[in-house]
Amino acid sequence: TEIVSGDATVQWNENHATLASLFSTRYEHTEYSNESFATTATGVAKPYWEETEGVSLRHNIRYGDTTVMLGVQSTDDEGFGANNSASYNRFKVNVLGWSGSAEQKLFDGALILDGGYREDQKHIDYSSTSASKNSANNDEDMAPAKIYAFGAKWNITSIYALSARYFNADQGTMGDFDVKAQTGTLHAEKQERFETSLEANYDKMF
């Protein structure tokens, strides 16, 4: 396994900052088949490799009690070979995503509101598990994944705070291949939840 990464930050002024990061990984392994403790047959080597590269940019904007964060990310993933008992894998995909969030402090920080949205679009150049058939999801955009989140925090006193948060996420698709059931295609994962909590900070040791 090889991993290379780097990041940089540019502080344009007291209100604007840009963060950038790059990474690249390469993973290789070899599986052996036809081996047996009962015979002296030589195992057949089946190599596999996978490469992933990504870049992300985020810009932070702060004016007084208002903070805005905007970001974009892109990841490319490509692999080939035998992996986890599947004798053939060949795929190349890209995930392009963007996000935005904002936070607003009111009444000298007694009330804090925040919200955000993220969307990821997966494009499949090719994806196959058979050397003789490469017709599963080629040059296709999958349904995008979408996430919404909103929250509020009320600092009642210097000790007590009340917070609430709403979260909604739609995975968009099951993955590279349709997952079939007896009743048809399974739906993508969806989550929706609401959380509320009462916080008490009696001492720094807690």
Side-chain angles (χ1 to χ4, degrees):
T1 301
E2 299 176 356
I3 302 174
V4 179
S5 64
D7 58 80
T9 302
V10 178
Q11 185 75 42
W12 303 103
N13 53 48
E14 62 180 6
N15 297 321
H16 292 267
T18 302
L19 299 83
S21 63
L22 302 167
F23 75 91
S24 176
T25 65
R26 181 177 176 86
Y27 168 76
E28 299 179 7
H29 76 241
T30 302
E31 297 181 357
Y32 293 89
S33 62
N34 299 334
E35 290 186 306
S36 172
F37 290 107
T39 67
T40 58
T42 302
V44 177
K46 297 181 178 180
Y48 173 82
W49 62 265
E50 182 174 348
E51 292 183 345
T52 305
E53 297 178 344
V55 58
S56 67
L57 289 172
R58 191 181 76 187
H59 188 72
N60 297 344
I61 306 169
R62 183 186 300 272
Y63 283 103
D65 292 331
T66 304
T67 302
V68 177
M69 292 178 286
L70 304 173
V72 61
Q73 309 85 31
S74 179
T75 303
D76 292 290
D77 194 19
E78 183 177 5
F80 179 78
N83 186 28
N84 295 332
S85 75
S87 60
Y88 185 90
N89 290 278
R90 179 177 178 267
F91 63 90
K92 184 178 182 181
V93 300
N94 169 267
V95 178
L96 179 63
W98 65 274
S99 61
S101 63
E103 179 185 277
Q104 178 66 56
K105 295 181 180 179
L106 301 171
F107 311 115
D108 294 327
L111 179 63
I112 303 174
L113 305 176
D114 67 86
Y117 176 78
R118 179 183 177 93
E119 182 171 320
D120 292 306
Q121 177 68 64
K122 185 175 186 178
H123 177 79
I124 299 177
D125 291 323
Y126 50 80
S127 186
S128 179
T129 57
S130 173
S132 60
K133 182 181 179 182
N134 188 30
S135 59
N137 291 339
N138 291 315
D139 192 21
E140 182 176 344
D141 287 328
M142 308 301 285
K146 301 177 181 180
I147 299 175
Y148 306 84
F150 304 95
K153 183 177 181 180
W154 176 27
N155 294 306
I156 305 172
T157 67
S158 60
I159 297 178
Y160 296 101
L162 181 66
S163 63
R165 178 159 296 278
Y166 173 77
F167 177 87
N168 187 300
D170 186 342
Q171 185 178 339
T173 179
M174 288 297 297
D176 290 2
F177 303 100
D178 289 337
V179 179
K180 301 293 184 180
Q182 292 182 352
T183 56
T185 302
L186 297 177
H187 295 293
E189 179 182 348
K190 294 184 178 181
Q191 295 185 40
E192 184 178 22
R193 63 177 182 264
F194 177 78
E195 302 172 352
T196 183
S197 64
L198 177 63
E199 305 172 19
N201 184 16
Y202 292 108
D203 193 273
K204 291 183 179 180
M205 69 179 295
F206 296 106

